[in-house]
Amino acid sequence: MIARRLRLVRTLLGTAAAEMAEYRVSVLVWILTGTAPLIMMMIWMGLAEAGPMGGYSATDFAAYFLIVFLVRQVTVAWVYEELDREIRLGEMSPRLLRPFDPYWMFAAQHLTVAGMHLTIALPVALLGFAVTGAILPLRPDNLAFFAVAVAGAWVIRFNMLYCVGLLAFWTDQAAALGNLIFTLYIVLGGALVPLDLFPAPVQQILAFLPFAYILNFPVQILLGNLPGPALLQGFVVQILWILLFIGLRQLLWRRGLRQYAAVGA
Amino acid sequence: MTRYFSLLRIFLTNSLQLEMEYRINLVMDAVNALLSFAAGLLVLYAIFDHADAIGGWSFPQALSLLGVFMILEGFIEFFLYPNFNRLPDYIRKGDMDFMLLKPVSSQFLVSFRYIRLWKLPELATGVFLLGYAMTVLDTLSVATLALTLVLLASAAAIVYSIWCMLTTTAFWLIKVDNLPELFYSLFTAGRFPVSAFPPWARFFLTFILPIAFATTVPASAAAGRLDGGMAAGSVLVAVFALLLSHGLWRLAVASYTSASS
């Protein structure tokens, strides 16, 4: 049983890698489209030239946005677009004949692409640190927590967008909704403004939304800005969002399949 | 010429009929426009909470820039995206053959075929915001309005040309269909005055990828802080970019070998 599972994982990852290698230039361009944090880095560094803003010096801003860039690249997810298209056009049908949930195939695809993004984004980020002279107070424990938090962020983002994509069983607005959520994620996750520079009422609302835990949370860990209790609290909230979206995903998938079969392809 | 105008009318009617089929999109797109407006405003508030100016621009001036940015973004979504997004498929599937057989310019056919009416809310929000900022700045006069409109038109021409050229590369690079997305993401830089960037980026945004002419220059006119050289430069760049895009288009069509079918 376990051997079969492992073989499935290896096959899925291998197929995904072969598919993506076919479109490697395209993937490279997608990586370059993630440059919004770098544009914001220049803006904030320019603003902080005269003196620190809200506790951030120019190099602090550089470190913040370079890590944001990295985390965004690794947690990349576009699954709602694929699900929307496949469900609307009936391309989902052949996938249902396979003896495993297409969820795993999409997950393998996303992980492979995340790996490809990492190989490009990591040198870019390191170069950024060298050019801007930003310093990262690296500690082994922070690095470990960061890795766990990024994994958590990936699971939240992937499952959240999977849920959005599954809405295509009921509406043709799923892709539009996904784009809307992307805007929210960019602004409320901290890709344009470090969240602690937002007015206090906005920050209070953010605590109840998943976006800060997908982006801002891991970034702040690596920057060494989170003391123990805040770290613990962040992980607890991450786990809650993970449970919520995984549960919702399974519910939507089961309900949606019934709907899909009723329509007939 | 009259043929082109009657074609335009037919395309417009047809696009409108098509859009009426998807009326629900209006709701979603209006929500999206409001959201991106709120997001832009939130970022500006966060900045001006901690600074008095950005690149020498005051808050109301930055508002006028956000208005211009939203107008251009709306223009892309309303007009550029629905047309050029289809080009890679025309090429891959061989539909381009039919475009070339028709007795009008193929660039015209590809560029003006569709509009996405429901993207109007974003454009309208931008216009209102620009109008509001100009009222606050007290720059609302016939002269500034005319100048702003001319510079907006030349900004639109520049953005059209860049988008067209990037999509035209699909004739050679079948597998790379996302170059316009790359431009779209760099276009985010247009939310801010070009003076807020470090010198090398300023150079890049003015001379290599002229986003400065797309947003900073029209907004400067609206905010009453325009320098004449940039205004003249904008029109020149627009004419040059249009010619370049047409040249590249003809080169691409000449090397088009159709899809085997």
Side-chain angles (χ1 to χ4, degrees), chain A residues 167-225:
Chain A
L167 292 180
F169 281 123
W170 296 274
T171 163
D172 55 6
Q173 296 293 318
L177 187 66
N179 292 336
L180 214 135
I181 287 183
F182 182 74
T183 310
L184 287 175
Y185 156 72
I186 289 294
V187 182
L188 304 181
L192 305 179
V193 177
L195 295 186
D196 36 358
L197 293 187
F198 276 134
V202 177
Q203 289 191 44
Q204 275 159 5
I205 299 171
L206 289 183
F208 294 97
L209 296 172
F211 306 109
Y213 300 94
I214 312 179
L215 193 55
N216 181 64
F217 175 58
V219 173
Q220 296 294 356
I221 294 180
L222 198 60
L223 293 175
N225 289 344

Side-chain angles (χ1 to χ4, degrees), chain A:
Chain A
M1 187 63 193
I2 289 175
R4 193 171 153 255
R5 272 288 153 90
L6 279 178
R7 211 167 56 230
L8 178 65
V9 169
R10 218 177 45 222
T11 314
L12 281 177
L13 285 175
T15 320
E19 268 173 26
M20 289 309 146
E22 183 73 358
Y23 289 94
R24 54 192 176 272
V25 184
S26 220
V27 172
L28 184 68
V29 175
W30 279 125
I31 293 172
L32 293 174
T33 59
T35 46
L38 302 183
I39 292 172
M40 293 312 298
M41 177 181 86
M42 287 188 241
I43 292 292
W44 284 104
M45 285 182 79
L47 286 167
E49 230 165 35
M53 285 180 71
Y56 284 84
S57 69
T59 48
D60 289 343
F61 277 124
Y64 176 86
F65 283 108
L66 288 169
I67 303 298
V68 164
F69 168 73
L70 199 62
V71 172
R72 258 194 70 188
Q73 291 293 332
V74 178
T75 56
V76 56
W78 66 97
V79 68
Y80 67 95
E81 291 174 357
E82 305 240 352
L83 283 170
D84 173 64
R85 199 195 57 242
E86 298 211 345
I87 291 170
R88 270 190 306 115
L89 303 183
E91 290 169 16
M92 186 54 93
S93 305
R95 297 206 188 284
L96 299 179
L97 294 174
R98 298 185 188 168
F100 55 87
D101 191 332
Y103 178 78
W104 301 109
M105 196 248 350
F106 286 120
Q109 253 179 19
H110 276 65
L111 283 175
T112 319
V113 170
M116 287 169 77
H117 280 211
L118 183 65
T119 53
I120 309 263
L122 190 61
V124 171
L126 290 177
L127 185 72
F129 273 99
V131 170
T132 57
I135 304 157
L136 203 57
L138 270 189
R139 292 214 320 261
D141 53 339
N142 279 351
L143 210 56
F145 288 135
F146 172 71
V148 177
V150 170
W154 184 88
V155 176
I156 297 176
R157 193 173 170 200
F158 179 74
N159 283 286
M160 177 173 73
L161 293 179
Y162 208 99
C163 291
V164 173
L166 289 180
L167 292 180
F169 281 123
W170 296 274
T171 163
D172 55 6
Q173 296 293 318
L177 187 66
N179 292 336
L180 214 135
I181 287 183
F182 182 74
T183 310
L184 287 175
Y185 156 72
I186 289 294
V187 182
L188 304 181
L192 305 179
V193 177
L195 295 186
D196 36 358
L197 293 187
F198 276 134
V202 177
Q203 289 191 44
Q204 275 159 5
I205 299 171
L206 289 183
F208 294 97
L209 296 172
F211 306 109
Y213 300 94
I214 312 179
L215 193 55
N216 181 64
F217 175 58
V219 173
Q220 296 294 356
I221 294 180
L222 198 60
L223 293 175
N225 289 344
L226 290 188
L231 193 69
L232 189 66
Q233 193 205 4
F235 277 121
V236 169
V237 178
Q238 265 203 338
I239 289 171
L240 289 178
W241 282 114
I242 288 174
L243 291 178
L244 178 82
F245 281 125
I246 285 186
L248 189 64
R249 205 285 303 180
Q250 275 172 338
L251 183 77
L252 287 174
W253 176 245
R254 274 202 302 270
R255 288 281 170 86
L257 271 190
R258 244 181 277 159
Q259 182 91 359
Y260 188 66
V263 172

Side-chain angles (χ1 to χ4, degrees), chain B residues 9-46:
Chain B
R9 215 175 46 235
I10 295 168
F11 289 162
L12 190 68
T13 327
N14 180 261
S15 297
L16 291 186
Q17 281 169 345
L18 206 67
E19 285 288 279
M20 288 304 157
E21 286 286 308
Y22 302 96
R23 278 182 296 259
I24 185 80
N25 285 8
L26 174 63
V27 180
M28 211 59 186
D29 287 330
V31 171
N32 225 331
L34 278 182
L35 195 70
S36 80
F37 171 58
L41 218 52
L42 195 62
V43 171
L44 281 188
Y45 271 123

